[in-house]
Each structure stands twice: as structure tokens, then as C-alpha cells.
Amino acid sequence: MKKYSSLLCLPALMSALTLTASGPTLDTIPKSSANNNIQLVVKPASENSAPVKSATAPASTPIATQPINNTGTPALKGAAPTLNYNNGPQTITGIIPAEGPRTTPITVSGTHFGNSASSVQLKINGVSAIISGISDNQITATVPDRAGSGPITVIIGGKNTVGSYFKYSWRGSASSFVGNLTHPRSLVRDGRGYLYIVDADHRCIRQINNLGDITTLAGSGAATSVDGQGTAASFVDPRAITVDGAGNVYVIDHYYAVRKISPTGAVTTIPGTGSPSFGEIHSIAVDRAGTTIYLGSIGKIRKLTPSGVVSNFATASNFNATAMTVSAAGDLYAYSSNWTLYKINSSGMMSVLAGNGKQGDADGYGAAAQFLGITGLHTDATGNIFVSDYAEGGWGPGAVRIRKVSRDGDVTTINAPDGGRLNIPSPSGIAVDLSNNNMLYVSDFSSNCIFKITLQ
């Protein structure tokens, strides 16, 4: 006796169907030579039971498929088919590989995934991946573009299962955006899409639109401090630069003065009143509202109001803030020349976000990461920090990194599409396109240009 786990549509020549009293097995009766029909008999527990009902279908009529349940046996009439993922809890037990760039093939292992790719979603860091294959205990997929690092999530029937962590390897395609500058020092980008850059040798501030057209926002080129409109104003030695949400630009001039440039190019000097005074200023940042300006120096960070009132904000030993930025959430990030990146909250409390006080180029979380020497940093709309990292001297010409630091301190180097280093000789500043978090701009001091990097 031959048993069947399912009853499939029969060819046209198999037309006669005989049903018997219900029982646990299916039998075939040999084909009748008279009518070329095949009879399928459902037998009761007793082998001697006789058929109780017979029906013959025309040869051209297909016989309907009987539902199959998870055990592989025919389901009772009227019972809905069961999916594998309902037989037990879904689990994620691992992912291979656990790190890679976009388009990397991955295999997620676990239990009770089912076997229908259309019923399953797989996400990396919340970004949907393209599923290429599925079985009850494995899903194969491709890492999506710009996924970022984060947990693997499998979604089946509205149920989310979160498991293994995937580390995304960022890639960047770099191209020259603007040339013919002279030793550009610092770079920012406003919400309207304009880049602002300190043209050090010409002692002026340049404005660059989305097409790469360059205009002089302010500065005559004369080495003197003069307020005024556009090129009627002068700077002694413009160094660091920042911009608020309204498009006002703030410049450190010769370490001891703060100059403000309106969107129309009007230059004014912000007086430092009260105690303490400015002191020597090495870096500058401003919040999006333009209500608080931060001034970094040796051992401390000061606050400056637009009207010129100065106050101490944060102090620390072995600290020299050489680059700063403010996130959209209002958190201040400061890089100190002791190769450490700090986060400072609104109360002035400082904590180490990444770095361990030793120079290097190691990726990793928090103190496991090392920096060569950050020359610029800027946050994107979601709070990630992008930094230009560069060292001279004994580190050689290849000591250049463009890096991404997550809000929880995970440092990742952005490499070229082929996995090699980005060809940027000596980055001096970095800015993020806030309308498109996947676009960076990097000023380069030695090649006298600005590079545009498209993240992948």
C-alpha cells in the first residue's frame, strides 16, 4: 500500500475519483482498461472497508489540491494551512559575515522563518534588505545601500525579532568640487546649501553655491581688522569658521577676536565683555538658533552671547579644544589635541565619546578607537559626527582618514569604493549636506580645493 502526503492536480487522462469512509491512508486502484480512469480511495482503519461514495470527473476537469499542514499530511477539509513561523518563536542565532559594505551577501541563521520570501522582511539598522532566499532556519539577503551599523531585524506576520549586530563598512566616492583656492583652512555649510570657507592666504571668506560658483562674502585681503560691508571689511588672520541656522557666519580672527558676517556680507566685531575675557581662541561653534557661541581654548570652553557677554562653560585639565561642532539636538562635541573626542551636554558636563589619549587610526567603540589628529568635525541631521583626521610627520603621506562617529561612539573609517583609502592629501575641514546626509564636503589645504564625497 502506498501512502500520499498530498493530492495534486492530475493529468486529463486521470479522471475517476472514488472517495471512501474517512481513514488514515490513501490507496490507488489500478487503471481500468475500459475507461482509462484512476480511482483514489481513502481507506478506513479496516483494510476490508468498502467504498461508500464514488464520483467520476470528466477527463478535462482538474482535481483541486488538498491543503497541506506543517506536518506534511493532508489537512482536514475547511482547515486553513499553517505557516512554519507559527509553530514556535522566531529566533536569530547569527549572521555571516557580520561586517561589510553595501551589496555584501549575508546569511542570517535562526528558527521558524517559514519558506515564503514575500511574507518576510529583513532589516539592517532599520533599512530593508533584499531577500534572495529563505528556508525555515536561514535567510539569504544583500546588504542595502547606506544601511549603517545596527541590529538585524526579521519581521514575519507583524512579529519583530531582533538579533545579531551588523557592522556596516562605509564607502565614499570622492571628486573635486571646487579648485583654485589658496590653502583653505576651515569649512562649513548652511541650511540653504552654501559652503563657506576661510581662504587663508587672501584673508577673506568665500561663499560657494551648489554649482561650485565662488564669490567673496567678506574681506579685502589687507591684514587689518576693519568692520564693513563685503570687501570693504578686512581680517588680520581668519582661522576657524562656523554658521548658525539663519546663515550668520562667525569667524575667529587672529586667535583673539570673533567677527560676525551677516548673510548679506556685513561684518561686525563681537566685543568680549564681562569676566573672563576671550583669551586665546582655537575653535568656534554655534547652536542652530544662533543664541550661543562656543569658544574653545586651552583648558576650557567659553560661551559667548551675540551681544558679547562671555562666561565659562566647561573646564578640564589636559584639554585643548581645536575643533568643535553643535548637533541639531544642542549637544556640543569638541576634539582635544590629546587625540580624544568629547561630548559636552547643556550643563557643561564633559564625557569621552571616543579616543583614548593615544595617537593612531584604529576604528572601534569609545576608548578602543584612536585618532590621528582631527582637523574638522560636523554633525548630520541625525547626530552622527563626521571628522577629517590627518597627521603629518612620521605618519607619512597616507595618514589621512575621513571617519564617521555614531552618537554612541562607534568610529568607522570611510574608504574608497574599492576598499582603499580616499585620495585626499591634507584635509583641513569637513561639512555635511544637512538636506542629504550622504554628501560630505572636505577642504584640502595642500591641493587648494574642496572635495565632494558621496557616501555609499
Side-chain angles (χ1 to χ4, degrees):
M1 182 183 297
K2 190 175 182 180
K3 296 184 180 181
Y4 292 83
S5 63
S6 63
L7 183 59
L8 303 178
C9 293
L10 301 179
L13 60 87
M14 301 177 181
S15 58
L17 171 66
T18 300
L19 304 177
T20 73
S22 60
T25 61
L26 296 178
D27 248 3
T28 60
I29 295 177
K31 181 172 59 177
S32 166
S33 59
N35 55 19
N36 282 339
N37 287 339
I38 285 181
Q39 290 182 319
L40 298 181
V41 179
V42 184
K43 287 212 169 192
S46 171
E47 290 291 338
N48 297 322
S49 298
V52 295
K53 184 178 289 187
S54 176
T56 301
S60 60
T61 304
I63 298 175
T65 301
Q66 188 172 355
I68 307 297
N69 66 18
N70 258 348
T71 64
T73 59
L76 294 177
K77 183 178 180 180
T82 338
L83 296 177
N84 284 334
Y85 64 77
N86 285 329
N87 279 350
Q90 292 97 54
T91 62
I92 299 174
T93 57
I95 178 172
I96 299 176
E99 180 177 354
R102 64 174 185 158
T103 72
T104 298
I106 58 172
T107 299
V108 177
S109 300
T111 59
H112 302 297
F113 293 147
N115 54 17
S116 172
S118 62
S119 302
V120 178
Q121 283 184 284
L122 189 148
K123 294 186 176 182
I124 301 174
N125 191 37
V127 181
S128 294
I130 299 174
I131 295 175
S132 55
I134 186 170
S135 67
D136 196 43
N137 57 9
Q138 279 191 345
I139 301 173
T140 55
T142 302
V143 174
D145 194 23
R146 305 182 183 101
S149 300
I152 299 294
T153 304
V154 174
I155 306 171
I156 307 176
K159 296 165 60 177
N160 288 23
T161 302
V162 181
S164 303
Y165 188 90
F166 183 83
K167 187 172 178 63
Y168 186 81
S169 300
W170 286 94
R171 299 287 188 261
S173 177
S175 60
S176 177
F177 178 58
V178 174
N180 300 320
L181 299 169
T182 307
H183 297 153
R185 269 185 183 154
S186 181
L187 175 71
V188 291
R189 193 176 192 275
D190 70 10
R192 301 175 300 165
Y194 288 102
L195 289 169
Y196 300 92
I197 192 148
V198 175
D199 192 338
D201 287 8
H202 292 109
R203 299 182 182 87
C204 64
I205 308 303
R206 308 286 192 187
Q207 183 186 66
I208 305 168
N209 65 16
N210 284 325
L211 300 177
D213 300 323
I214 305 173
T215 57
T216 299
L217 179 65
S220 65
T224 184
S225 180
V226 176
D227 289 347
Q229 181 69 38
T231 55
S234 298
F235 299 90
V236 177
D237 181 24
R239 305 193 71 82
I241 190 172
T242 189
V243 63
D244 65 20
N248 296 300
V249 175
Y250 303 85
V251 182
I252 299 173
D253 193 14
H254 196 50
Y255 294 112
Y256 295 98
V258 178
R259 317 287 296 278
K260 178 181 179 181
I261 310 172
S262 73
T264 60
V267 179
T268 56
T269 300
I270 299 177
T273 61
S275 179
S277 61
F278 282 161
E280 186 173 297
I281 310 167
H282 294 169
S283 58
I284 187 169
V286 64
D287 62 12
R288 303 294 165 91
T291 57
T292 304
I293 305 160
Y294 298 95
L295 307 176
S297 59
I298 296 174
K300 62 187 65 179
I301 297 173
R302 296 182 173 95
K303 289 171 66 173
L304 173 67
T305 68
S307 62
V309 178
V310 184
S311 60
N312 284 329
F313 176 59
T315 60
S317 59
N318 192 27
F319 175 79
N320 179 18
T322 57
M324 297 193 299
T325 189
V326 180
S327 71
D331 291 315
L332 177 66
Y333 296 92
Y335 173 73
S336 171
S337 55
N338 65 346
W339 304 291
T340 306
L341 181 61
Y342 294 87
K343 178 180 179 179
I344 303 99
N345 66 16
S346 58
S347 301
M349 296 296 295
M350 298 178 64
S351 59
V352 174
L353 181 66
N356 56 24
K358 296 180 181 179
Q359 190 175 26
D361 64 349
D363 287 349
Y365 271 99
Q370 293 178 324
F371 297 103
L372 295 166
I374 291 178
T375 58
L377 60 156
H378 196 220
T379 57
D380 66 13
T382 60
N384 297 302
I385 309 155
F386 291 88
V387 306
S388 51
D389 196 18
Y390 169 61
E392 296 179 297
W395 287 93
V400 175
R401 307 287 185 268
I402 304 300
R403 310 175 81 177
K404 177 178 178 288
V405 185
S406 69
R407 289 171 294 180
D408 58 353
D410 183 19
V411 180
T412 306
T413 297
I414 300 169
N415 289 319
D418 63 359
R421 300 299 185 194
L422 289 169
N423 186 22
I424 300 176
S426 52
S428 55
I430 191 168
V432 182
D433 184 347
L434 294 178
S435 65
N436 178 2
N437 286 339
N438 301 310
M439 190 76 70
L440 308 177
Y441 297 89
V442 178
S443 55
D444 190 82
F445 189 80
S446 63
S447 60
N448 299 316
C449 70
I450 297 173
F451 291 94
K452 181 166 65 173
I453 300 174
T454 303
L455 296 180
Q456 302 172 348

